[in-house]
Amino acid sequence: MNFPDILTLFYIDKSTMSKIAADFSDQITQATSGNSSCLQALSSYLTPATGLEKGNYLAIDFGGTNIRVSAVSLQGNGRCSLLTEARRPLRDPNKTYDLTSSDLSGSELFDFVASLVKQVYSQYPARQLGLTFSYPMQQEGVNRARLLRWTKELKPRETVGRNIDTMLMEALARHGLAHLTLQAVINDTVACFLTGSYYNQAVVAGSICGTGHNTCCLHPFSPDEPEVIINLESGNFDRLPRNHYDQMLDLVSDNPGQQYFEKMVSGKYLGELLRLIYMDITEQGVLPQPEGDRFKYPFTIGAEVVGWLHDNPHSKLVWQWTQQAGLTLQPDQLFFLQDISSAIVKRAIHLIAASYLGILSSRLAVNPAPVIAVDGSVFQHMPGFTAGIENLLNSELAGSHPRLLMTPDGSIIGAAVAAARL
Ligand code: BGC
């Protein structure tokens, strides 16, 4: 495949974007009507935050990269403080443990979480607990949820189909913490929504682009009741123009055939797309072979590298990366990698914007200035990502003023806000 062809493969034009937005909206309608859909309408049983929530809580963020526990103090009127925290990566860089291993059992995983809760509780003995859990689950109430499947990094044994609340409470009991009350179990997009609405009442959706990708929005389950936040599990959206690099990526992933949207936009996969393209064009002699086995194995280029190249191929960060990879690249080769990285990033921006258009289009009559709360490493660190999505939304929805609201620590604060809602 030659260079211009590769860039074309990642280009999303205006009409494709409109088609994706319409398909996304249609799939939401199917999911909320109980029909078959690549999206889901998983109720959180929660309405947006009022901003008046108060109290001290223990909050757990069970994410795709780290597990983090904090004590959070909510003071109402959108004010809050994080009092302390214990945070561990899913995989220890010094290789003393690996929570992503398929040999791990559910009890071992939740014992790990409970030990972090114990550490924080010993300093701030708040008794009420909120859990943000960044994987698909079927809620049976605000604080009860059954694990549907693992996406992204984890695959422990004896967990799918079980209640996350039960597994956590059993582990807490083994750590002498049976007296804690689990007030809420929520998806990370819902946590982001709640954090956003704690600060700003115009929030109508919450979205994460970090290791994984997903969005939640509001849905009126009953005409007499307020709208409820629903998790769409939109990383699984599949009405998308996938190219052969997307197909190759799917085959090397842990979950072929699933999470097509997530695999085109999220932090776990952006670097892998670059690696697949790099290896392809290296075979044609356009770019030099890396040293030894450097890029031979999947997932050996991170999303941050895509961001550095997209931003400035002559930066110190890119230079350090080429040194580590044993690459000597000419200026035109660096520009070539910049164009590819930018194509990957711009496609992600267009696809996410299209999905937001699918959510917002039906709300503009009621709310012409909607806010989408966002969080995750790609939103935080990918140059031009948030602004790019916001610009596209504004140009597509002329006359209204959609805005993205970054909610740093959204998963932790949202867990506390959810715990305070009862
Ligand atoms: C999970 C979602 C989660 C998203 C962002 C996806 O892989 O299925 O539940 O919200 O990642 O963390």
Side-chain angles (χ1 to χ4, degrees), residues 308-320 322 329-336 338:
W308 300 333
L309 284 162
H310 163 59
D311 192 36
N312 175 7
H314 297 296
S315 66
K316 192 168 166 206
L317 289 166
V318 170
W319 183 80
Q320 283 168 344
T322 55
L329 296 171
Q330 302 305 316
D332 59 328
Q333 293 174 323
L334 279 169
F335 281 126
F336 183 70
Q338 179 182 36

Side-chain angles (χ1 to χ4, degrees), residues 137-207:
M137 55 191 171
Q138 179 78 55
Q139 304 272 157
E140 294 162 353
V142 175
N143 64 356
R144 294 191 316 279
R146 200 165 40 78
L147 176 63
L148 293 176
R149 58 184 187 278
W150 293 103
T151 50
K152 305 175 291 198
E153 304 287 18
L154 294 173
K155 40 199 161 312
R157 292 181 279 119
E158 304 141 24
T159 44
V160 172
R162 289 200 63 200
N163 268 56
I164 296 143
D165 46 293
T166 310
M167 290 189 279
L168 176 65
M169 286 314 295
E170 285 174 359
L172 289 174
R174 290 193 289 275
H175 284 73
L177 297 172
H179 55 288
L180 298 189
T181 319
L182 182 60
Q183 299 280 94
V185 182
I186 54 174
N187 183 257
D188 53 350
T189 56
V190 177
C192 175
F193 190 129
L194 290 173
T195 304
S197 52
Y198 185 65
Y199 300 127
N200 182 329
Q201 293 294 299
V203 171
V204 297
S207 188

Side-chain angles (χ1 to χ4, degrees), residues 176-348:
L177 297 172
H179 55 288
L180 298 189
T181 319
L182 182 60
Q183 299 280 94
V185 182
I186 54 174
N187 183 257
D188 53 350
T189 56
V190 177
C192 175
F193 190 129
L194 290 173
T195 304
S197 52
Y198 185 65
Y199 300 127
N200 182 329
Q201 293 294 299
V203 171
V204 297
S207 188
I208 302 285
C209 198
T211 310
H213 172 63
N214 186 16
T215 299
C216 69
C217 61
L218 288 169
H219 180 68
F221 276 110
S222 138
D224 315 322
E225 305 275 333
E227 291 185 300
V228 170
I229 307 170
I230 56 167
N231 169 11
L232 299 173
E233 281 301 326
S234 65
N236 196 46
F237 182 63
D238 63 4
R239 312 293 202 264
L240 293 162
R242 295 168 64 238
N243 62 44
H244 85 272
Y245 296 112
D246 297 312
Q247 285 158 13
M248 284 162 76
L249 184 148
D250 187 47
L251 291 177
V252 297
S253 72
D254 283 344
N255 49 356
Q258 294 173 27
Q259 301 291 105
Y260 285 162
F261 187 18
E262 176 166 277
K263 288 173 184 167
M264 296 164 96
V265 300
S266 82
K268 181 166 164 66
Y269 303 102
L270 295 177
E272 178 59 10
L273 285 170
L274 177 63
R275 187 194 72 88
L276 288 165
I277 300 171
Y278 192 103
M279 295 314 275
D280 191 19
I281 48 188
T282 298
E283 278 168 27
Q284 301 166 33
V286 181
L287 287 174
Q289 288 279 355
E291 224 165 56
D293 276 354
R294 270 328 268 231
F295 302 155
K296 187 169 162 204
Y297 299 105
F299 301 103
T300 42
I301 297 183
E304 67 283 1
V305 177
V306 179
W308 300 333
L309 284 162
H310 163 59
D311 192 36
N312 175 7
H314 297 296
S315 66
K316 192 168 166 206
L317 289 166
V318 170
W319 183 80
Q320 283 168 344
W321 171 71
T322 55
Q323 293 296 301
Q324 276 162 14
L327 291 174
T328 309
L329 296 171
Q330 302 305 316
D332 59 328
Q333 293 174 323
L334 279 169
F335 281 126
F336 183 70
L337 281 179
Q338 179 182 36
D339 284 343
I340 291 172
S341 300
S342 295
I344 294 172
V345 173
K346 283 183 189 153
R347 182 180 71 162

Side-chain angles (χ1 to χ4, degrees), residues 209 310 345 348-349 352-353 356 372-394 402-407:
C209 198
H310 163 59
V345 173
I349 289 175
I352 292 183
Y356 293 172
I372 299 182
V374 297
D375 198 8
S377 53
V378 177
F379 278 120
Q380 279 169 19
H381 305 302
M382 185 61 78
F385 207 76
T386 309
I389 295 174
E390 212 168 51
N391 288 342
L392 281 172
L393 295 180
N394 277 288
R403 207 160 62 75
L404 302 194
L405 172 70
M406 273 302 305
T407 59

